């Protein structure tokens, strides 16, 4: 661990949501050479996926929610389509009704996700890196919906 000038341990600064969601050169290199094992997983059983497009809106919402990046929230970026998928408790879909730029994937849908926390691909990249993909930390649906209601209309207007 790094030490300060006074010899005390320096805590590494947590990455920001924009940093985690960026298509960095390191990620691109991993996608070309590395582990990019992904699989389709059914939605609506253990979680629903809130699809937010554009991806930048989703990132701005995470920043506005002030949720920490180290918690390991289950969030997947599809860089090819410009979509952020935020995993929330199942059955939360009604909270997102009539919010522009949002679609909820529940029962009957599947989401492409990385098989492990170390896997990543351009179409399925863990943004909130889970510590254990079998016990995902879900984003509070009510807080996510509230921030989306505040921020999404501006993105919808800009796209028009």
């Amino acid at each position: 661990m790094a030490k300060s000038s006074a010899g005390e341990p320096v805590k590494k600064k947590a990455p920001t949501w924009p940093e985690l969601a960026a298509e960095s050169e390191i990620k691109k290199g991993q996608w070309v050479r590395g582990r990019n094992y992904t699989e389709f997983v059914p939605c609506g059983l253990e979680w629903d996926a809130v699809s937010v497009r554009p991806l930048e809106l989703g990132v701005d919402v995470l920043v506005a929610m002030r949720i920490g990046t180290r918690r390991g929230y289950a969030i997947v970026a599809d860089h090819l389509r410009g979509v952020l998928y935020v995993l929330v408790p199942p059955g939360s879909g009604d909270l997102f009704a009539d919010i522009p730029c949002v679609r909820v994937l529940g029962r009957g849908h599947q989401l492409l996700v990385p098989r492990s926390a170390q896997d990543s691909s351009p179409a399925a990249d863990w943004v909130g890196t889970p510590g254990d993909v079998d016990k995902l930390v879900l984003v509070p649906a009510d807080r996510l919906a509230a921030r989306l209601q505040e921020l999404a209309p501006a993105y919808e207007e800009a796209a028009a």
Side-chain angles (χ1 to χ4, degrees):
M1 179 178 270
K3 303 248 183 201
S4 71
S5 59
E8 299 170 3
V10 175
K11 202 174 194 182
K12 186 177 176 185
K13 184 181 171 192
T16 64
W17 288 112
E19 290 169 345
L20 291 173
E23 288 184 72
S24 68
E25 293 304 315
I26 293 171
K27 282 185 185 181
K28 290 177 184 178
Q30 289 173 334
W31 297 337
V32 171
R33 306 181 296 282
R35 294 182 48 138
N36 48 13
Y37 304 114
T38 57
E39 62 187 346
F40 282 100
V41 178
C43 303
L45 303 175
E46 296 179 25
W47 43 262
D48 286 347
V50 178
S51 166
V52 182
R53 179 182 262 165
L55 188 140
E56 294 78 14
L57 166 60
V59 172
D60 286 350
V61 167
L62 295 174
V63 170
M65 288 177 66
R66 296 178 178 254
I67 59 175
T69 59
R70 291 189 178 176
R71 180 86 198 276
Y73 287 105
I75 301 165
V76 177
D78 179 344
H79 298 286
L80 298 177
R81 291 170 191 79
V83 179
L84 191 72
Y85 296 96
V86 182
L87 278 55
V88 298
S92 304
D94 290 347
L95 294 171
F96 301 93
D98 301 323
I99 299 176
C101 308
V102 172
R103 182 174 151 221
V104 178
L105 306 178
R107 284 196 182 269
H109 293 93
Q110 295 184 357
L111 181 64
L112 185 66
V113 298
R115 284 191 184 166
S116 76
Q118 292 75 40
D119 292 316
S120 178
S121 79
D125 176 29
W126 284 120
V127 173
T129 307
D132 181 355
V133 294
D134 293 324
K135 295 181 183 179
L136 296 175
V137 179
L138 305 177
V139 173
D142 56 342
R143 291 185 57 207
L144 178 66
R147 291 295 187 217
L148 281 165
Q149 286 174 333
E150 291 173 11
L151 298 176
Y155 278 84
E156 183 182 43
E157 287 175 20

